[in-house]
Amino acid sequence: MELLDIFEKTPKNNFIHKVVLSISSLLIIIASIQFGISQYLLANGELAEATLVEFKEIRSADRNSNSTSYAPVYEYMNKFNKKIRYESSESSAFKFGDIGDKVIVVYIPESNRTRVNSFWGLYGFASILTIIALPLFLLSLYYFLFNKG
């Protein structure tokens, strides 16, 4: 059965299902790319001990409220004894950890790809995308494959 056949045999009012299937497919592709980047870092990267030196304050203001989140900023010495400053892309509404805390980071010396060497640091974004996209993808696919309506 071809993919185009699937779209032809479903009811005419399935636009929302096509949109959900397309968006969930895109999210799964993005999650796979993020997973691949993490695997590449683990396979080819160097490990270093980093120190939490500050929290960068990120303010977002909208009409209803002002919110502040904090992104940790780490410093570590790379294999060439050069001090590198790494600002994590993950931020939260509270400051987790204390200034001076040590973490292990994995980095690629030739580029500025760095991530904290933990499950959340390596796979957090890919996990969240997969948790959201996979049920949507399966439900939409089920609709197209088994809905005779």
Side-chain angles (χ1 to χ4, degrees):
M1 178 186 305
E2 292 182 34
L3 188 59
L4 294 176
D5 264 357
I6 294 171
F7 288 119
E8 295 301 321
K9 292 180 181 178
T10 56
K12 300 291 183 208
N13 60 352
N14 62 5
F15 176 74
I16 189 70
H17 292 74
K18 289 179 184 177
V19 169
V20 170
L21 184 64
S22 300
I23 291 172
S24 61
S25 299
L26 181 65
L27 291 177
I28 289 171
I29 291 169
I30 293 170
S32 299
I33 291 169
Q34 289 298 316
F35 180 80
I37 290 170
S38 294
Q39 290 297 100
Y40 179 80
L41 271 170
L42 287 175
N44 302 312
E46 301 282 333
L47 295 175
E49 185 178 78
T51 305
L52 178 61
V53 293
E54 69 174 297
F55 288 98
K56 182 178 179 185
E57 210 172 274
I58 301 168
R59 295 186 184 271
S60 83
D62 59 13
R63 293 181 199 181
N64 301 329
S65 67
N66 292 332
S67 64
T68 303
S69 62
Y70 302 94
V73 178
Y74 301 99
E75 284 185 350
Y76 63 93
M77 299 295 279
N78 69 5
K79 73 178 187 179
F80 306 114
N81 274 343
K82 181 180 176 189
K83 187 184 280 189
I84 305 293
R85 200 168 171 87
Y86 164 62
E87 180 183 321
S88 179
S89 58
E90 292 97 20
S91 62
S92 67
F94 60 91
K95 296 177 182 176
F96 56 91
D98 296 318
I99 303 299
D101 282 354
K102 307 268 188 216
V103 297
I104 302 296
V105 294
V106 60
Y107 68 96
I108 300 292
E110 298 80 28
S111 69
N112 58 358
R113 286 193 194 265
T114 304
R115 291 193 181 166
V116 174
N117 191 18
S118 67
F119 178 82
W120 191 253
L122 291 169
Y123 303 110
F125 185 60
S127 298
I128 289 172
L129 284 180
T130 303
I131 289 168
I132 292 169
L134 198 56
L136 294 174
F137 178 80
L138 293 174
L139 288 171
S140 296
L141 193 61
Y142 177 83
Y143 175 81
F144 286 118
L145 292 177
F146 300 110
N147 188 3
K148 305 292 182 201

